[in-house]
Amino acid sequence: MADNQYNKKNKATQAAPKRLFYLDVIRVASAILIVVYHFSYSVYLPPPFQEVDILHGTINGSWGMTPVYCFFMVSGAALMSRYGKEEKLDIRKYCKKRFLGIYPLFWIAYGIGFFAVYWQLGHLYDIPSWSLIWSVIGMDGWIVNWIPTFYMVGEWFLGSIIMLYLVFVPIRYFWRKHKTLTMAVSTLAAGALFWYHPFPMDIKQNPVVDLFYFLLGAWIEELRQNFIQTEGTKEAAGFKQRKRGFLIWCASFAVLAVWCLLPVAKNLPSMELTVSAQASGIGMFLRQSFILLCTCGFYVWMIGISGWLEKGPHTKKIILEISGKSYGIFLTHHMVSQLICSHFDGANSSRREILMILVLVFLATWVMTLLIYQIESYIKEKF
């Protein structure tokens, strides 16, 4: 009897996937960058945004899309690592886990945001009440490109994630059977949209482009796993692999340096100008390719430093804590920035005052995040 229990426990331990710490590092870094990015929009400053320009972008323009794409890549790497190798996916269990991981926290955060907007404006949006259904299912930020909705806490990303979770089931099948072909088709489809995007939405909201970054994250994780396995074969081969990995990490650092310091994309369309009626052709394709290169550079660079960060027990604990609540940060930071920054005049604030407001936004966002998780925990205990 004891042997059977031990065997079951041993099998469960072997079946449990190992946590990929570098994904936690990327989640935390991306969450911080997104908070800073939206803060730069919330603080009113007339052009040329001298005080917060560094918070908004680099010499090559806005960098706001990079951390968003990194979140898609992290999702792809995490899901494929967790479910990609299973012979059969328990769809019911998968959908239940995704549902419980998304909606309860979103409904709590959205409810707080809804009343916060009402308190700030003194009235509700002049939108038909039936449109609230789009908010209930988390698609209001995505469908707002076509019809008016009660979109208010930056939840377009949530709509994109929901669609990726839904298509993951069939995509997983093709990924397992024809991985290279699936990646190639996704790359070609995204590349076509990089050139010409006829839809009334930002290209970062397009599910085809989001799926490409989602699969790119899974692809990089596959390459990383192959790299680790090859490294452990022979000592000489392992040295060569470590040297190659170091060179790749240096190359990613060089990409980030170019991104931040050299104006190589000065004559290309704006980093966020993605509507084909305003930007199409080679210029838009090069801009989107540059965003892709910078995103990959940032992603790979974070993989490189995650090994160092993991060695510090306190650092690792902090990163895991923040990473575990990154979804809550995403849900709360937008309304926190808007509520706090509406009480300050950014145009007449010094650089030190701007940074103090930013610190206040971070603290308030973390407090609000802990609050919605506490409310969720209370509801689970009671019901």
Side-chain angles (χ1 to χ4, degrees), residues 169-187:
V169 176
I171 287 296
R172 172 186 172 276
Y173 171 81
F174 292 108
W175 184 261
R176 284 173 52 83
K177 298 294 183 180
H178 309 285
K179 189 175 303 177
T180 303
L181 179 61
T182 303
M183 191 69 224
V185 171
S186 179
T187 302

Side-chain angles (χ1 to χ4, degrees), residues 7-21:
N7 291 333
K8 288 181 180 179
K9 185 177 180 181
N10 192 37
K11 288 181 180 179
T13 303
Q14 291 176 351
K18 182 181 178 181
R19 188 178 186 94
L20 302 175
F21 179 70

Side-chain angles (χ1 to χ4, degrees), residues 10 59 221 272:
N10 192 37
I59 195 170
E221 171 56 20
E272 292 180 324

Side-chain angles (χ1 to χ4, degrees), residues 167-370:
V167 302
F168 174 74
V169 176
I171 287 296
R172 172 186 172 276
Y173 171 81
F174 292 108
W175 184 261
R176 284 173 52 83
K177 298 294 183 180
H178 309 285
K179 189 175 303 177
T180 303
L181 179 61
T182 303
M183 191 69 224
V185 171
S186 179
T187 302
L188 290 174
L193 292 174
F194 283 0
W195 187 283
Y196 178 66
H197 190 258
F199 305 101
M201 60 169 67
D202 283 344
I203 196 170
K204 67 178 180 290
Q205 296 175 297
N206 191 299
V208 175
V209 175
D210 297 342
L211 179 61
F212 162 71
Y213 280 98
F214 182 87
L215 293 178
L216 181 61
W219 183 270
I220 292 176
E221 171 56 20
E222 288 279 346
L223 295 176
R224 193 188 73 89
Q225 289 291 343
N226 293 335
F227 177 86
I228 294 174
Q229 293 173 4
T230 305
E231 183 180 357
T233 54
K234 294 181 180 179
E235 185 175 351
F239 174 76
K240 291 181 180 179
Q241 291 293 343
R242 287 192 294 271
K243 183 179 179 181
R244 186 181 302 173
F246 178 73
L247 291 176
I248 293 173
W249 185 80
C250 290
S252 68
F253 182 79
V255 169
L256 295 181
V258 170
W259 180 27
C260 296
L261 302 175
L262 299 179
V264 297
K266 185 177 181 180
N267 296 323
L268 297 179
S270 172
M271 202 169 229
E272 292 180 324
L273 186 58
T274 55
V275 181
S276 62
Q278 302 176 47
S280 61
I282 187 66
M284 180 176 171
F285 179 82
L286 291 175
R287 169 58 80 178
Q288 294 301 321
S289 299
F290 182 68
I291 295 172
L292 170 60
L293 179 64
C294 294
T295 301
C296 289
F298 178 76
Y299 195 90
V300 173
W301 188 73
M302 295 305 297
I303 292 177
I305 69 171
S306 64
W308 300 333
L309 295 175
E310 192 173 13
K311 294 178 181 178
H314 298 295
T315 305
K316 182 178 180 179
K317 185 177 180 180
I318 292 172
I319 289 174
L320 290 176
E321 176 68 19
I322 298 175
S323 174
K325 293 181 173 58
S326 58
Y327 178 52
I329 294 173
F330 156 74
L331 290 174
T332 58
H333 81 277
H334 220 294
M335 60 177 169
V336 168
S337 288
Q338 291 178 347
L339 288 172
I340 291 180
C341 294
S342 64
H343 298 284
F344 295 94
D345 181 11
N348 296 313
S349 300
S350 66
R351 180 169 297 181
R352 177 177 295 181
E353 290 170 334
I354 291 292
L355 292 177
M356 289 179 65
I357 299 171
L358 177 58
V359 171
L360 180 60
V361 167
F362 269 112
L363 292 175
T365 298
W366 184 245
V367 170
M368 184 64 70
T369 298
L370 294 178

